[in-house]
Amino acid sequence: QVQLVESGGGSVRAGGSLRLSCEASTYQRYMGWFRQAPGKEREGLASIDREFDATYANSVQGRFTISKDYAKNTLYLQMNSLKPEDTAMYLCAAAPFGKILSTRERFLDRSYPYWGQGTQVTVSS
């Protein structure tokens, strides 16, 4: 069983930055960041594979950066130029070695069997 623990959320003014962390008990083939706002569907934001290939949703491209530190078993999401519409619960997810995911599948929550509890991000105007 893979355990994921997010941290780093908080409240920030529009235009500010936050860095989220996700400590993993073990790395999987794909690691990703999702978010879910009240009343909205879960949205895939960024995904990184074991070769450090990263891909981003259009909504965060150029503002968010996903990275990982193998030595610390930690996944990161650097978020810059935050907007009020970025307000949501941010969740870390992992997909195991085995199935190769297409770019589209890397943004689908059903592709990831392991999830953290989430960390709240609130951006005020």
Side-chain angles (χ1 to χ4, degrees):
Q1 185 72 13
V2 178
Q3 294 182 333
L4 304 170
V5 180
E6 302 95 334
S7 62
S11 297
V12 64
R13 298 290 294 271
S17 299
L18 284 172
R19 188 177 79 156
L20 305 183
S21 300
C22 171
E23 188 171 349
S25 58
T26 177
Y27 267 121
Q28 300 297 300
R29 184 179 192 130
Y30 299 97
M31 303 288 292
W33 285 101
F34 288 73
R35 68 185 178 191
Q36 188 162 22
K40 294 187 177 181
E41 292 188 357
R42 190 170 292 180
E43 177 188 11
L45 303 175
S47 174
I48 190 167
D49 68 11
R50 62 180 178 179
E51 285 85 25
F52 291 84
D53 175 62
T55 186
Y56 299 91
N58 290 337
S59 59
V60 303
Q61 178 77 48
R63 299 190 298 126
F64 291 9
T65 302
I66 189 171
S67 62
K68 58 184 179 180
D69 184 331
Y70 270 123
K72 297 181 179 179
N73 266 8
T74 302
L75 179 74
Y76 300 101
L77 185 68
Q78 177 67 43
M79 306 187 297
N80 298 328
S81 302
L82 284 163
K83 307 173 182 179
E85 51 263 44
D86 292 319
T87 295
M89 180 69 75
Y90 283 69
L91 303 107
C92 171
F97 292 90
K99 184 179 186 298
I100 296 175
L101 301 179
S102 68
T103 299
R104 176 178 174 275
E105 288 174 327
R106 288 169 65 173
F107 291 98
L108 300 179
D109 54 4
R110 64 174 181 261
S111 297
Y112 297 82
Y114 305 115
W115 291 84
Q117 294 300 307
T119 185
Q120 178 68 35
V121 172
T122 301
V123 185
S124 59
S125 57

